[in-house]
Amino acid sequence: MKFTQRLAYYLGGFSIGLIILMFFLNGKDASCDYGPNARTIKNISSKQISYSSEVSNFVTTHSIDSSTVLNLIKYGNVDFSKSNTKLDSCKIYHLDNIYKDKDIKMSIENCDSIAKILVMSYINE
């Protein structure tokens, strides 16, 4: 069998497989969150978010709305070296992000049913 025939069979089978996958995964919320950062962010984002009193004051002072806070979490980077993941019940994660050209840091307590933002502040202020 010539190389072009083998390539044609391969590409034909591959395209049929892609069409079948698109048919089965069309309406599902399938994602490829396999990295530790993506899994942690997805876990935190799936829970109800609450604020500590310090964070509530920071949010009102700097006019940050709740959707912006959710985007800061969603697109943030987890710093596992500063996080406390050894706890049994509620692990504390440290997130870094940028908001209005300023570096912002957040400390989030991730429990079973709720995620509480403990600290939120600009890094250079």
Side-chain angles (χ1 to χ4, degrees):
M1 187 181 284
K2 295 180 182 179
F3 175 73
T4 55
Q5 289 176 328
R6 284 186 288 165
L7 183 64
Y9 279 119
Y10 173 77
L11 291 176
F14 187 72
S15 61
I16 290 171
L18 284 178
I19 291 170
I20 291 171
L21 275 177
M22 287 182 1
F23 176 72
F24 283 118
L25 298 178
N26 188 17
K28 301 192 185 243
D29 188 21
S31 63
C32 297
D33 297 329
Y34 295 119
N37 188 57
R39 285 193 322 234
T40 304
I41 295 295
K42 186 175 183 178
N43 188 349
I44 291 171
S45 298
S46 68
K47 299 176 183 175
Q48 178 184 353
I49 305 291
S50 67
Y51 307 137
S52 67
S53 59
E54 177 185 336
V55 174
S56 296
N57 292 337
F58 179 82
V59 166
T60 55
T61 303
H62 295 285
S63 302
I64 301 174
D65 60 350
S66 60
S67 63
T68 304
V69 173
L70 291 176
N71 282 333
L72 286 172
I73 293 172
K74 185 177 178 180
Y75 299 110
N77 295 318
V78 180
D79 188 354
F80 288 101
S81 64
K82 295 179 183 176
S83 300
N84 190 357
T85 59
K86 304 283 188 225
L87 300 173
D88 289 334
S89 59
C90 298
K91 298 177 180 178
I92 298 175
Y93 294 101
H94 181 84
L95 273 74
D96 295 322
N97 207 336
I98 295 173
Y99 178 66
K100 292 186 177 178
D101 296 328
K102 294 182 182 178
D103 292 330
I104 195 166
K105 66 178 179 177
M106 297 187 303
S107 183
I108 300 176
E109 182 181 41
N110 188 17
C111 297
D112 290 334
S113 62
I114 195 166
K116 184 174 185 178
I117 303 175
L118 302 174
V119 177
M120 178 185 262
S121 65
Y122 290 116
I123 293 176
N124 296 331
E125 272 190 8

